[in-house]
Amino acid sequence: MPALASTTRLLILAGYSLPSQKLKFLPVSVSTWRHSVRFFSRVAKEHQGPLTLASLGFSSQLEATTGSTGKRSNVENSVKLTRSPVDRPRSIATPVVKAITSVDDIELEATTGSKGKSRKVEKNVKPLRTPVDRPKSKVKPLGKTRGSVDDIELAPFSAKSFSELGLPPLLIERLESEGFKVPTDVQSAAIPTILKDHDVVIQSYTGSGKTLAYLLPILSRIGPLKDANSTLKSKDDGGGKRKNDIEAVIVAPSRELGMQIVREVENILGPENKRAVQQLVGGANRSRQEEALKKNKPVIVVGTPGRIAEISAAGKLHTHGCRFLVLDEVDELLSFNFREAMRRILDHVGRKSERRTVLVSATVPFAVIRAARSWSDDPVLVQAKKVTPLELVPPSGPVDSTQPASDSNPSASQSLPPSLKHYYSVVKLQHKVDALRRCVHAMDAKCVIAFMNHTKQLKDVVYKLEARGLNAAELHGDLGKLGRSTIMKKFKNGELRVLVTNELSARGLDIPECDLVVNLDLPTDSVHYAHRAGRTGRLGRKGIVVTICEESQVFVVRKMEKQLGVAIHSCEFTEGKFVIDGEEKEESTMDGGLMRRCSYRS
Ligand SMILES: Nc1ncnc2c1ncn2[C@@H]1O[C@H](COP(=O)(O)OP(=O)(O)OP(=O)(O)O)[C@@H](O)[C@H]1O
């Protein structure tokens, strides 16, 4: 086997770009593999140029922007997200995708501030469609009152537009003007389900659009864009709302995520309606938040547990008549740190039968199912292509029945987007930062998030990267609010190439341009791996995740590989080249991994 391995060792040399259409048909046998190596060399000669993220299929084509807002502009999708069965070993227990119809092209733009410098991002944005070609006649019209589970199964999973989902015209207009035209799978499943007054647990992989999946039904029931007719008929809207009552409370575990959700609500509401939402995140001036609550009388508040609980305890936040409670990244909100604050919030948001409760995360361990049973009223589990009554979810968690149960971690195994590729590289401890630098250069990555476990080490890494000519900055909770938002702004507009951060940034952060995630320290488990990895490959874009570890830690990588149900290949970065271990290649050929990898080289 070692001899075989050495003969088949694959060296992918920098400077060569390989056409994926041909490579994805690479053979499995060794003899044909040798032939393929010759084929690689031949193709390589024909395609002179560095093997970079771009040459691997990460053709980040961001158009330079001229505006100053940095907002998504007119969206155009140029690349089809095709998924073969081997592409995703943990295939979800739903029918195979038969056809993915194209949506309007999505073209993302990022502004680079006054300098007008441009950064490249993927154009490969394509909300997935569901596989089921449901005859239209079977789709029941959306009711205004609470429906049965039978009704949910007929939800328009194959929605081609937001108007199919029962959203009010004003809201659809706003969505279109913000460039949102086609709902993602999880949105197609969740929106009508919530509109039918079901409490839900939403589980879908990172970057699949869960935020709008819960925001849109909320905005169609409350606030300035709501559907006037449905509100009149709604049993909850008995006219008992007092002037200062908050109608929706959205809780998120970090300030960054809280503020990101607020921005998303504001975008949808439009500038003239921005006051309908108020952020209540920690680290910001509390009295200003309290004044804004009094003056603006928002209908929605979004915040971190501590700050919401604090203001509520001070008697300045009236949530008893609340109609929607959302717990985003709910598995994180269940952690011990938030226990007191969460209890305060839950005790002051009215009775569960009188509000809709929405729990959301890419990772849903059984603790979340348990929490949903006690905090919600007859909830259902909504995933991208199915809706399941919660009583049918087994104690092992919302596991995929098509998967071997043995090693996989059900709460993590369905959390990774299929477009991600995973690698690890073994280096000595003292060479980790240099390996990160080499990795960034070899991949020609433009927007990199590097994760570490300890805050105090971040500065040192930034210093070393800057000394080697890479623009980098640290992001962690000890920085002030202004410092954090300045760094995020610089990172998003391309002034910083590497963001060195800790677990703070692992959840929810949406930076579509991020093309590479590096674990400079191992994540504590597969759930943490999944959330870190999910910062790249957002909404169908491709992304690469590289874990830099020591030899003694490889077994941990292997364990996470099994738990997540993805292949994590060994690689090296030498002399500016991205080198994939040939021995790995032989193994990955067996499980289809090679085809996945080769499909990048377009
Ligand atoms: N229907 C849509 N069309 C185009 N873009 C969308 C659509 N829905 C969401 N997006 C965009 O996709 C990106 C990812 O969405 P979002 O942050 O809600 O993902 P998520 O599933 O909550 O991810 P995570 O689990 O990491 O929190 C965002 O930039 C969002 O604006």
Side-chain angles (χ1 to χ4, degrees):
M1 193 61 185
L4 178 68
S6 66
T7 57
T8 59
R9 184 174 173 82
L10 170 64
L11 276 178
I12 297 179
L13 301 178
Y16 300 136
S17 128
L18 305 172
S20 68
Q21 305 93 308
K22 295 179 183 178
L23 295 181
K24 66 184 173 188
F25 298 114
L26 274 177
V28 194
S29 74
V30 173
S31 61
T32 42
W33 168 246
R34 284 207 191 98
H35 172 77
S36 304
V37 172
R38 282 199 298 278
F39 169 68
F40 275 133
S41 331
R42 183 170 57 75
V43 175
K45 279 179 195 133
E46 289 166 17
H47 294 264
Q48 301 290 328
L51 183 70
T52 62
L53 282 172
S55 71
L56 289 173
F58 289 63
S59 55
S60 323
Q61 275 88 294
L62 178 72
E63 311 296 333
T65 64
T66 46
S68 58
T69 58
K71 231 171 48 175
R72 166 198 329 280
S73 82
N74 176 31
V75 205
E76 281 180 326
N77 190 357
S78 64
V79 181
K80 284 194 175 166
L81 182 68
T82 49
R83 203 191 286 177
S84 73
V86 289
D87 215 21
R88 189 171 163 88
R90 57 186 187 287
S91 59
I92 294 170
T94 48
V96 175
V97 174
K98 282 187 202 156
I100 298 172
T101 36
S102 67
V103 291
D104 290 327
D105 289 349
I106 296 182
E107 175 182 302
L108 295 171
E109 294 189 355
T111 126
T112 51
S114 53
K115 287 180 192 147
K117 224 169 51 176
S118 77
R119 181 216 287 285
K120 293 180 168 186
V121 296
E122 281 289 318
K123 287 167 87 177
N124 308 354
V125 182
K126 183 177 180 59
L128 296 177
R129 290 293 165 58
T130 62
V132 192
D133 284 336
R134 261 171 226 284
K136 277 239 163 86
S137 57
K138 284 199 175 174
V139 177
K140 276 195 182 175
L142 295 168
K144 304 287 192 298
T145 53
R146 195 163 181 140
S148 68
V149 169
D150 292 347
D151 294 334
I152 302 167
E153 283 162 6
L154 298 175
F157 285 172
S158 301
K160 290 183 175 54
S161 70
F162 282 105
S163 53
E164 284 180 41
L165 303 179
L167 296 171
L170 265 182
L171 187 51
I172 292 170
E173 239 172 71
R174 284 294 312 146
L175 280 170
E176 281 181 1
S177 68
E178 287 301 310
F180 298 105
K181 292 176 182 164
V182 182
T184 65
D185 278 355
V186 71
Q187 290 162 1
S188 300
I191 292 169
T193 309
I194 300 173
L195 283 175
K196 276 178 172 265
D197 283 339
H198 282 278
D199 283 1
V200 296
V201 177
I202 303 178
Q203 188 276 324
S204 167
Y205 56 75
T206 54
S208 57
K210 293 187 289 296
T211 317
L212 284 184
Y214 65 76
L215 281 183
L216 296 181
I218 293 177
L219 291 175
S220 69
R221 286 289 161 86
I222 63 171
L225 306 179
K226 72 184 172 195
D227 181 346
N229 294 331
S230 83
T231 308
L232 285 175
K233 288 178 192 167
S234 170
K235 68 182 163 99
D236 296 334
D237 200 47
K241 179 187 181 301
R242 282 174 300 166
K243 246 182 169 182
N244 290 346
D245 268 0
I246 301 297
E247 295 191 64
V249 176
I250 302 175
V251 191
S254 75
R255 302 162 198 176
E256 270 69 23
L257 182 54
M259 289 168 70
Q260 187 177 289
I261 298 168
V262 170
R263 276 196 301 276
E264 196 136 4
V265 182
E266 287 176 344
N267 279 348
I268 303 296
L269 289 177
E272 65 280 15
N273 294 317
K274 270 163 84 164
R275 289 182 175 181
V277 60
Q278 172 64 41
Q279 58 93 352
L280 300 178
V281 299
N285 188 310
R286 182 179 140 186
S287 42
R288 244 184 254 157
Q289 292 170 344
E290 291 173 352
E291 273 165 35
L293 283 173
K294 209 166 151 189
K295 190 168 151 224
N296 300 336
K297 301 185 180 27
V299 285
I300 304 172
V301 293
V302 184
T304 47
R307 180 56 56 92
I308 294 179
E310 231 179 341
I311 298 182
S312 164
K316 306 214 166 132
L317 185 68
H318 308 285
T319 54
H320 281 285
C322 141
R323 295 177 55 198
F324 291 94
L325 172 68
V326 179
L327 307 182
D328 202 340
E329 305 292 347
V330 58
D331 49 332
E332 179 72 7
L333 290 174
L334 292 180
S335 73
F336 186 78
N337 294 349
F338 295 122
R339 189 168 292 183
E340 282 302 303
M342 288 305 296
R343 186 169 302 153
R344 163 89 210 177
I345 293 170
L346 284 157
D347 284 349
H348 291 78
V349 282
R351 270 181 294 190
K352 62 184 181 184
S353 58
E354 284 166 15
R355 60 157 201 263
R356 296 286 59 83
T357 304
V358 179
L359 310 188
V360 188
S361 184
T363 47
V364 173
F366 197 69
V368 168
I369 304 294
R370 259 200 316 264
R373 284 178 185 157
S374 85
W375 298 339
S376 325
D377 191 19
D378 199 12
V380 293
L381 173 70
V382 176
Q383 291 170 299
K385 290 158 191 166
K386 61 180 170 183
V387 179
T388 319
L390 226 56
E391 61 265 29
L392 298 186
V393 177
S396 54
V399 68
D400 175 355
S401 58
T402 61
Q403 285 222 117
S406 56
D407 289 316
S408 86
N409 175 347
S411 71
S413 67
Q414 295 175 37
S415 57
L416 283 169
S419 52
L420 285 191
K421 301 293 170 192
H422 306 263
Y423 300 95
Y424 73 92
S425 185
V426 174
V427 298
K428 292 206 168 99
L429 181 65
Q430 64 270 32
H431 297 148
K432 276 190 170 185
V433 181
D434 199 50
L436 167 61
R437 180 190 63 81
R438 284 184 283 116
C439 172
V440 172
H441 285 306
M443 296 282 193
D444 193 24
K446 298 287 186 289
C447 188
V448 184
I449 303 182
F451 284 101
M452 299 193 72
N453 294 341
H454 303 291
T455 308
K456 58 182 181 207
Q457 293 170 343
L458 305 179
K459 194 182 279 305
D460 187 45
V461 173
V462 168
Y463 177 76
K464 285 178 179 160
L465 290 174
E466 294 243 299
R468 289 164 173 81
L470 275 177
N471 285 345
E474 56 182 313
L475 182 75
H476 52 82
D478 296 346
L479 296 175
K481 184 176 171 255
L482 188 65
R484 287 201 315 269
S485 54
T486 308
I487 286 168
M488 283 306 290
K489 216 167 159 187
K490 284 185 174 180
F491 186 55
K492 284 182 177 173
N493 72 24
E495 284 174 63
L496 293 171
R497 193 166 176 189
V498 186
L499 187 71
V500 187
T501 186
N502 57 12
E503 225 51 45
L504 170 90
S505 313
R507 279 189 181 250
L509 223 60
D510 180 52
I511 301 166
E513 298 87 346
C514 176
D515 48 8
L516 175 65
V517 161
V518 177
N519 289 314
L520 215 45
D521 285 330
L522 280 181
T524 44
D525 55 33
S526 52
V527 169
H528 286 80
Y529 181 99
H531 284 282
R532 286 180 177 190
R535 295 320 98 209
T536 183
R538 314 276 299 162
L539 204 72
R541 296 172 185 86
K542 290 174 180 175
I544 283 191
V545 186
V546 176
T547 299
I548 295 174
C549 62
E550 294 169 70
E551 186 70 57
S552 60
Q553 297 174 317
V554 171
F555 82 98
V556 184
V557 176
R558 291 282 171 236
K559 196 172 167 198
M560 288 194 291
E561 182 179 47
K562 280 190 188 141
Q563 291 183 335
L564 292 160
V566 295
I568 307 181
H569 304 287
S570 166
C571 71
E572 288 170 24
F573 308 99
T574 43
E575 297 168 21
K577 298 163 191 170
F578 173 40
V579 183
I580 302 169
D581 193 323
E583 209 171 320
E584 291 297 317
K585 182 184 64 55
E586 186 61 20
E587 284 170 17
S588 60
T589 305
M590 305 297 285
D591 69 5
L594 177 64
M595 289 175 81
R596 286 201 298 279
R597 215 164 48 219
C598 289
S599 67
Y600 270 93
R601 299 177 196 132
S602 54

